[in-house]
C-alpha cells in the first residue's frame, strides 16, 4: 500500500524539516519543490521565469516557472507509487483549492493520502526565512518583501476542510 504525505504550511514553518523526518520514518521519497527550483534556476529565482506561466494554478503549478517543476514532481510521485513506494510532497499547498486539487490528484496515485500541516506563527517564520536566506548558501533567496507579498495567498488549513490532516508544531 503506497502513501503520499503532502506537507502543508507557509515559508519558514518547518515543512522541509518535517518532510525529511517523514521520509526517513516511512520510508519514502521526498520531493521538495524549493530544492527543484534551486537546482534548476539557482538561489535567486529570475523574475522572468516566475512570470512565464501566469495562468497556472498550484499544485499543478502556480503563477510561474513553478508549473513545470510541480508537473515533474507529480509525475515522479506517480512513478514512485506505481512501484509500491511512498512519497512525501513538500510543496506548501497554500490554499484550500490547492489542497482540494492535490488531494484529488494524490488519491488517484496512492492508497493512503494525508496532509501533514505544519503550524507556526508568522513572526517566527519570517525570522527563520530571513536568517536562512542570509546564512544558508543552499536556500532560495527570500527577502522580507517577498515573504510579505505572498503571505496573503496562504490560507491556514483547518480540520473542517474535510481532508485527512495531521497537525504538527513547526517553528
Amino acid at each position: 500500500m503506497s502513501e503520499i504525505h503532502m506537507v502543508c504550511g507557509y515559508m519558514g514553518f518547518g515543512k522541509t524539516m518535517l518532510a525529511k523526518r517523514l521520509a526517513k520514518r516511512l520510508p519514502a521519497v521526498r520531493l521538495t519543490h524549493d530544492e527543484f527550483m534551486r537546482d534548476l534556476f539557482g538561489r535567486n529565482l529570475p523574475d522572468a521565469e516566475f512570470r512565464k506561466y501566469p495562468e497556472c494554478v498550484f499544485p499543478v503549478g502556480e503563477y510561474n516557472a513553478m508549473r513545470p517543476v510541480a508537473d515533474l514532481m507529480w509525475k515522479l510521485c506517480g512513478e514512485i507509487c506505481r512501484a509500491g513506494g511512498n512519497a512525501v510532497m513538500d510543496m506548501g499547498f497554500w490554499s484550500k483549492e490547492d489542497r482540494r486539487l492535490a488531494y484529488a490528484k494524490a488519491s488517484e496515485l496512492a492508497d493512503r493520502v494525508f496532509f501533514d500541516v505544519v503550524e507556526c506563527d508568522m513572526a517566527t517564520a519570517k525570522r527563520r526565512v530571513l536568517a536562512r536566506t542570509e546564512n544558508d548558501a543552499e536556500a532560495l533567496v527570500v527577502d522580507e518583501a517577498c515573504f510579505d507579498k505572498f503571505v496573503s495567498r496562504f490560507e491556514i488549513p483547518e480540520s473542517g476542510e474535510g481532508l485527512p490532516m495531521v497537525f504538527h508544531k513547526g517553528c
Side-chain angles (χ1 to χ4, degrees):
M1 283 183 43
S2 59
E3 290 185 18
I4 298 175
H5 287 255
M6 295 178 286
V7 183
C8 180
Y10 193 61
M11 292 183 240
F13 275 32
K15 294 181 307 296
T16 300
M17 289 177 7
L18 175 61
K20 288 176 180 178
R21 285 196 314 266
L22 287 170
K24 188 173 185 175
R25 180 176 54 89
L26 288 170
V29 176
R30 179 177 57 89
L31 302 170
T32 297
H33 195 272
D34 286 357
E35 292 174 4
F36 278 97
M37 293 296 289
R38 181 205 59 221
D39 290 350
L40 290 169
F41 302 108
R43 284 189 70 212
N44 198 357
L45 302 174
D47 191 59
E49 287 298 320
F50 262 72
R51 305 297 169 237
K52 200 172 188 177
Y53 302 97
E55 78 289 351
C56 300
V57 177
F58 200 71
V60 179
E62 196 172 21
Y63 33 82
N64 49 45
M66 295 170 82
R67 180 184 187 134
V69 171
D71 289 345
L72 175 61
M73 288 176 64
W74 280 111
K75 179 181 178 188
L76 292 171
C77 183
E79 291 177 14
I80 291 163
C81 291
R82 282 188 291 282
N86 303 313
V88 176
M89 299 287 285
D90 178 6
M91 295 174 69
F93 306 101
W94 286 1
S95 73
K96 290 179 184 179
E97 182 67 2
D98 292 345
R99 294 185 287 275
R100 186 189 67 74
L101 291 170
Y103 183 76
K105 183 180 272 291
S107 295
E108 294 175 1
L109 302 174
D111 302 307
R112 295 172 44 139
V113 176
F114 304 92
F115 281 97
D116 288 278
V117 179
V118 184
E119 299 176 305
C120 183
D121 66 274
M122 286 296 175
T124 302
K126 183 187 279 190
R127 280 194 303 276
R128 290 183 71 197
V129 167
L130 297 177
R132 181 173 63 205
T133 295
E134 185 175 327
N135 301 317
D136 183 350
E138 297 293 312
L140 291 178
V141 173
V142 178
D143 62 15
E144 189 169 0
C146 179
F147 184 95
D148 292 342
K149 177 180 180 180
F150 293 112
V151 76
S152 65
R153 293 185 185 209
F154 181 65
E155 297 176 47
I156 297 171
E158 301 170 343
S159 56
E161 292 180 38
L163 300 170
M165 294 183 178
V166 178
F167 291 84
H168 305 265
K169 288 291 179 198
C171 302

